Amino acid sequence: MSNLGSISIYLAFGAAIWAAGVGLYGARTKNAMAIRSAEGGVKAAAVCLTTASFALWWALIARDFTINYVAEVSSRALPLFYTIGALWAGQAGSILLWAWILSVYSTVVVIKNRNKNRDLMPYVVVVLGAVIGLFTFLIAFTGTNPFSTGACAVAAQCDGQGMNPLLQ
C-alpha cells in the first residue's frame, strides 16, 4: 500500500502541474485541445488522489504499522470508527484529505461545465490545477508524505501509538 499511495501522490502532482501548465497555454492560445487536455489533468489528479486516500484508509484498517503515519495515529486497540477517522488525525493525512476533496470538487466543476462557461473554464482549470499541485507538492516533497515507511519492520509485532485522546 505504501508504494501505491506514494506513486499515486506523485502522479497526482504531475497531473495537477499538467492541468495548470497546459490550461494556461490553452487559455492564452484559445486551443480547445489543450483546454480539454488540462481538464483531463484535473480528472487524472482526482483519480490518483482517490487511489492514495483509499490506500491510506486500507493501511489504517489493516493496521499496517510499517507505515509511519499509521503507527503514529492508530493502534490495535483503536475501534474501527476511530481508525477510519484517523485519516485526518495527523498533518499528513489531513493534507491528503483536503487535496482529495479539492480534486473531487474540481472534477465535478469540470464535468458540470463541459458545455457551459467555455470562455472561463481554462482559467478555472489553471487555478484548480495550481492549488491541487500545491497540496500534492506539500505531501510529496516536504516531509509530510503519509506513506513514508520505517516505523516497524514487522507489522505483526508492533502496536501503534494510538490516536490523540483529544481527537477521540
Side-chain angles (χ1 to χ4, degrees):
M1 281 299 135
S2 174
N3 290 337
L4 175 65
S6 292
I7 290 169
S8 295
I9 289 170
Y10 291 124
L11 289 175
F13 175 71
I17 295 304
W18 176 266
V22 173
L24 187 61
Y25 169 76
R28 296 278 182 192
T29 62
K30 306 290 187 210
N31 185 334
M33 284 184 64
I35 295 167
R36 292 291 182 181
S37 179
E39 292 172 353
V42 169
K43 295 175 192 175
V47 169
C48 292
L49 287 170
T50 299
T51 303
S53 296
F54 281 104
L56 187 56
W57 261 320
W58 182 262
L60 286 163
I61 292 169
R63 314 269 199 250
D64 185 1
F65 296 119
T66 60
I67 298 174
N68 291 339
Y69 185 78
V70 175
E72 291 170 4
V73 300
S74 181
S75 70
R76 295 192 191 284
L78 198 63
L80 181 63
F81 177 74
Y82 290 127
T83 301
I84 292 170
L87 178 70
W88 58 86
Q91 179 184 11
S94 183
I95 293 173
L96 176 61
L97 176 70
W98 283 109
W100 175 51
I101 290 170
L102 173 66
S103 69
V104 169
Y105 279 123
S106 299
T107 300
V108 169
V109 166
V110 166
I111 291 171
K112 296 275 275 177
N113 290 292
R114 66 177 158 245
N115 295 322
K116 301 183 292 188
N117 303 320
R118 294 313 307 163
D119 293 337
L120 185 63
M121 283 309 293
Y123 300 103
V124 170
V125 169
V126 168
V127 171
L128 293 173
V131 174
I132 294 169
L134 172 69
F135 274 91
T136 53
F137 176 82
L138 289 174
I139 296 168
F141 302 111
T142 63
T144 58
N145 189 342
F147 295 102
S148 62
T149 59
C152 184
V154 180
Q157 297 175 350
C158 295
D159 191 10
Q161 295 175 359
M163 187 183 287
N164 183 340
L166 293 173
L167 291 176
Q168 295 181 18

